[in-house]
Amino acid sequence: MMGIPDRILLALYAMVLAAVSLALFIVSLGWTTPLERLLLLLRNPGGRMALGLSSLVFLAVSLRFLYFGFRRKYPSRAIIHETPLGEIRVSLGAVENLVKKVARQIHGVRDVRASVASTSEGIAADIRAWVSPDVSVPEVSEDIQKSVGEYVKNVVGVGVREVRVLVENITTEARRARVE
């Protein structure tokens, strides 16, 4: 995916290419001044150097955009399984929703926020939980870790490397969603 610097570079590249194309079109209609200026530039060693460097920069930018055009595009936030019939992708957003669902089913959990990341060893999950005051925090945290690990492994087919639980609050009411 192209970032903002690449998009700015692409815009500048397109403007330069449009200007060069317009100049070449006008030359094809008989206007010779651009050709005379180019010949004058090529007779001067400093002009040749500047033209050569500009050409190298333009070539490098062209190769960069060719790379972006032909590389394989995968969603950056997905788990990919290769099967004999093809590729299966499970978005990390879907895994996050699964983690939330499982954690909310644990007795004493009032609310949950989760984020997951795919690593070479498996999935890593960070869970922020709001729990009831009438439960043991270490037991609930361990239940969350076990349940999430087993359920994600069974449903998604990828091992869970770690489940980090942060008990954000011990409360009798569910966390209220903030209006932003």
Side-chain angles (χ1 to χ4, degrees):
M1 184 174 191
M2 290 196 319
I4 291 177
D6 286 320
R7 291 172 193 260
I8 292 170
L9 188 62
L10 180 60
L12 292 173
Y13 180 86
M15 286 189 281
V16 169
L17 193 57
V20 169
S21 298
L22 180 64
L24 289 175
F25 176 73
I26 292 173
V27 165
S28 74
L29 295 177
W31 187 40
T32 59
T33 305
L35 289 177
E36 292 167 1
R37 297 271 171 115
L38 181 61
L39 287 173
L40 184 64
L41 188 67
L42 290 173
R43 287 187 190 121
N44 181 356
R48 280 195 307 270
M49 177 79 72
L51 188 61
L53 288 175
S54 299
S55 298
L56 283 176
V57 167
F58 207 78
L59 176 64
V61 171
S62 298
L63 292 174
R64 180 165 179 81
F65 290 135
L66 278 172
Y67 166 76
F68 277 123
F70 288 106
R71 73 178 179 173
R72 290 185 68 166
K73 295 172 182 80
Y74 291 114
S76 59
R77 292 190 33 91
I79 299 165
I80 301 170
H81 291 285
E82 294 288 338
T83 69
L85 295 177
E87 194 174 77
I88 299 170
R89 297 183 201 156
V90 179
S91 78
L92 292 182
V95 178
E96 283 177 3
N97 289 335
L98 186 67
V99 167
K100 289 178 198 174
K101 176 186 168 224
V102 171
R104 283 186 181 123
Q105 292 176 351
I106 306 294
H107 171 71
V109 175
R110 308 296 286 167
D111 204 358
V112 171
R113 277 196 181 168
S115 66
V116 297
S118 179
T119 68
S120 58
E121 299 91 34
I123 295 173
D126 287 314
I127 298 174
R128 292 172 43 199
W130 285 253
V131 299
S132 299
D134 59 338
V135 296
S136 166
V137 172
E139 288 177 15
V140 168
S141 299
E142 192 174 322
D143 287 346
I144 291 172
Q145 289 174 321
K146 284 182 189 174
S147 297
V148 165
E150 291 171 4
Y151 200 76
V152 169
K153 173 67 176 159
N154 290 337
V155 172
V156 180
V158 174
V160 178
R161 182 178 56 100
E162 73 177 323
V163 178
R164 291 186 299 261
V165 177
L166 167 66
V167 175
E168 184 91 359
N169 199 352
I170 300 172
T171 182
T172 56
E173 53 189 61
R175 178 181 60 85
R176 293 188 185 130
R178 286 189 282 177
V179 177
E180 294 180 14

